[in-house]
Amino acid sequence: MANCELLGDFGGIQLFSDGRIVRPQWPDPDCPADPSFEKGEFGCKDVILDEGTGMWARIFAPKSATVIDDASPTGKRALLVYFHAGGFAATSPASMRSHGICSGISQKMGMIVVSVAYRLAPEHRLPVAFDDSFASLQWLQSQAQQSPMDRDPWLKNADFSRIFLMGNSSGGTIVHYMVARSIRRDLSPLGIKGLVSVAPFFGGEERSKSEIQSLVQPDLLTLAHCDTLWRFCLPDGANRDHGYCRVPRAEEIAKIDPMPPLLVVVGAGDVLYSRVVEYYEELRKAGKDAKLVEYPDRGHFVLFPEVEGEMEYSYGEMIQFMNKCSSL
């Protein structure tokens, strides 16, 4: 132990050179699931997706979506699959912000939201988060292939032909890799209609303009945080130029065909701003249907579900985008 070196610390999650990992209880309280509908017309519950890995998800739904009598075409509810933030190393669907985002979308749009709890680094390095996230889509595929009476009760009235993938930070990165995998593996009858990537988490060995600027004007997510998180989650021996970290190139994106419309969201004060804009530009070079939305008064943390009026501000573009894609 005398020669054991601390390799990284993010919010108390510590990685040591002997492989030891310390993961403390985070001060932010988790939000409990409430499937009772006693507090209103919307609820949430936790479900196990894979007994072997312990992977789970939190489903948010309107009460009416769980009633089999509403299984007519007009009663079908679009599905949003959400991948949470945390640099591949922290938080879960039960974390306050993730819970608030998904609850808000379900209530505002009447959607069924499935928020995925993928396994975390450094205990589980990439590509485990990608593998788990794709397994969640395969779980939904298995649900879609069953009759409404045999599905999970909260998915009885899910419209599996209207699915959206949305992710925040590392979850935004996951969205890209999910659609890339989906063209190589049959997910029918799932129909992915649109993608929402909020402040996707990319990096590189060479510093970007916004990363350099952040040293003078730091955001809540700092450059040091990013470096530590990549040290935690990349495969052993890999640096920040690894394919899981760097911005995908246009020639790689062009191979994702077809690719659903994509909304990219970023705050102008984000340490990752330059990387996110580069990602958008590579999408456009590849001929993809992509739109960039910038919020000049936000940093890396763009969505604040706990703030009154937030749904009308930073969620507005996303809601318009999903409504448009639903009609395509």
Side-chain angles (χ1 to χ4, degrees), residues 10-13 23-30 86 89-91 95 229:
F10 177 77
I13 304 171
R23 184 181 286 276
Q25 182 70 39
W26 276 43
D28 292 340
D30 282 348
T91 79
S95 300
L229 288 168

Side-chain angles (χ1 to χ4, degrees), residues 138-199:
Q138 293 175 312
W139 180 82
L140 282 174
Q141 180 186 36
S142 71
Q143 292 288 313
Q145 290 168 341
Q146 300 178 52
S147 71
M149 291 300 295
D150 293 329
R151 295 174 191 157
D152 183 284
W154 284 37
L155 298 176
K156 289 175 182 176
N157 296 315
D159 186 348
F160 292 99
S161 70
R162 284 193 298 149
I163 292 181
F164 294 87
L165 306 185
M166 175 179 172
N168 195 359
S169 191
S170 52
T173 312
I174 289 174
V175 166
H176 177 85
Y177 284 99
M178 291 308 94
V179 72
R181 287 192 182 194
S182 71
I183 65 162
R184 300 194 302 269
R185 305 184 191 182
D186 181 23
L187 285 177
S188 59
L190 302 188
I192 301 174
K193 301 291 285 186
L195 315 169
V196 180
S197 184
V198 181

Side-chain angles (χ1 to χ4, degrees), residues 61-172:
K63 185 177 182 180
S64 58
T66 68
V67 180
I68 192 62
D69 292 341
D70 197 28
S72 64
T74 56
K76 294 289 187 181
R77 306 290 182 130
L79 263 170
L80 179 111
V81 185
Y82 181 80
F83 305 104
H84 66 79
F88 300 107
T91 79
S92 79
S95 300
M96 186 178 296
R97 182 159 292 162
S98 295
H99 180 95
I101 290 169
C102 295
S103 176
I105 291 173
S106 181
Q107 293 185 42
K108 186 72 174 180
M109 299 194 66
M111 303 176 81
I112 300 171
V113 179
V114 179
S115 182
V116 179
Y118 51 85
R119 285 174 290 172
L120 302 175
E123 295 92 334
H124 304 284
R125 293 176 176 270
L126 293 175
V128 171
F130 300 148
D131 295 340
D132 285 355
S133 297
F134 196 78
S136 73
L137 298 182
Q138 293 175 312
W139 180 82
L140 282 174
Q141 180 186 36
S142 71
Q143 292 288 313
Q145 290 168 341
Q146 300 178 52
S147 71
M149 291 300 295
D150 293 329
R151 295 174 191 157
D152 183 284
W154 284 37
L155 298 176
K156 289 175 182 176
N157 296 315
D159 186 348
F160 292 99
S161 70
R162 284 193 298 149
I163 292 181
F164 294 87
L165 306 185
M166 175 179 172
N168 195 359
S169 191
S170 52

